[in-house]
Amino acid sequence: RRLVENGPRNYQQEVDTWNFTATLGGDFEVMGRTWYWDANAVISENDAHQTFTGNVNAQRVQDALGPVADCTGACVPLNLFGGVGTITPAMLDFIGFTQQDSSGQELLDFTFNITGDLFDLPAGPFAFAAGYEHRRTEGFFEPDPIVAAGLSSDIPAQPASGETSINEAYLELRAPLVRDVPGLYRLELSGAGRWFDYST
């Protein structure tokens, strides 16, 4: 029996999102050499609230379909065997409910980078770049208590939440060995490495 008297199922969602980004940068002198640096931060948050109508509480449907003598208080007996229009507003008020879910996510990301020349080689300066990043994400989903109890006519869902954090660092080196010699325009040696640690 499709509860056509209850109207169509409607889903509405209101989402608030904000994002903050900041960057600082500069340079400084070390033994006559200029080094450059930058620091960056990103903070964002997402907050959502969902409303779903047209759902029914399975426990209340069971109560309303049970023996009439047991349907007391706010309970309104339910008859599923009539034609369209036989399910009254009072019946729908007892078995229906407005599903309300909420969810949210947060992100924090911080990075720092520095570059410069360490010393001179015959073919040019020995250069380096290094950096660090810390990133943390977390989120949650909180379904309607009736849904979490498995009593809705919709897909069941359970509350969930979690977070992850990541730390990363890198180092890059470049050593120009030979430049502008007969038969060889340039020869460089470079290396790069990255270390990371995931909380998972």
Side-chain angles (χ1 to χ4, degrees):
R1 172 70 153 84
R2 183 71 174 174
L3 301 181
V4 293
E5 294 89 347
N6 207 21
R9 297 185 178 187
N10 292 309
Y11 176 84
Q12 293 183 336
Q13 184 180 53
E14 181 178 335
V15 182
D16 295 318
T17 302
W18 64 268
N19 187 77
F20 173 79
T21 303
T23 298
L24 295 174
D27 59 74
F28 58 93
E29 296 287 330
V30 176
M31 299 178 62
R33 301 179 184 278
T34 303
W35 290 12
Y36 301 91
W37 65 272
D38 63 84
N40 312 277
V42 177
I43 304 173
S44 65
E45 183 174 303
N46 180 286
D47 186 57
H49 296 274
Q50 297 81 233
T51 302
F52 184 47
T53 61
N55 212 333
V56 296
N57 184 326
Q59 181 61 58
R60 288 197 167 190
V61 171
Q62 182 176 338
D63 294 342
L65 290 174
V68 175
D70 294 340
C71 188
T72 59
C75 182
V76 178
L78 178 64
N79 177 15
L80 293 177
F81 297 102
V84 174
T86 58
I87 296 179
T88 67
M91 296 175 184
L92 292 174
D93 286 343
F94 177 68
I95 66 173
F97 76 100
T98 299
Q99 178 179 333
Q100 297 186 6
D101 308 322
S102 62
S103 61
Q105 299 84 37
E106 292 183 6
L107 167 68
L108 171 64
D109 189 14
F110 172 78
T111 60
F112 178 80
N113 302 284
I114 186 169
T115 61
D117 298 334
L118 295 175
F119 51 84
D120 287 326
L121 294 173
F126 186 90
F128 84 99
Y132 168 77
E133 178 176 10
H134 173 74
R135 187 169 64 256
R136 181 174 61 85
T137 58
E138 62 179 86
F140 75 92
F141 172 66
E142 188 67 37
D144 190 282
I146 295 176
V147 175
L151 298 177
S152 77
S153 57
D154 197 16
I155 299 172
Q158 292 294 312
S161 64
E163 66 176 73
T164 61
S165 62
I166 302 101
N167 290 293
E168 297 189 51
Y170 73 90
L171 175 65
E172 299 176 0
L173 302 172
R174 185 188 65 191
L177 303 179
V178 179
R179 182 175 182 178
D180 296 329
V181 298
L184 187 63
Y185 172 66
R186 180 178 297 172
L187 176 63
E188 291 184 349
L189 180 65
S190 63
R194 177 176 291 265
W195 168 89
F196 55 86
D197 177 36
Y198 286 77
S199 63
T200 53

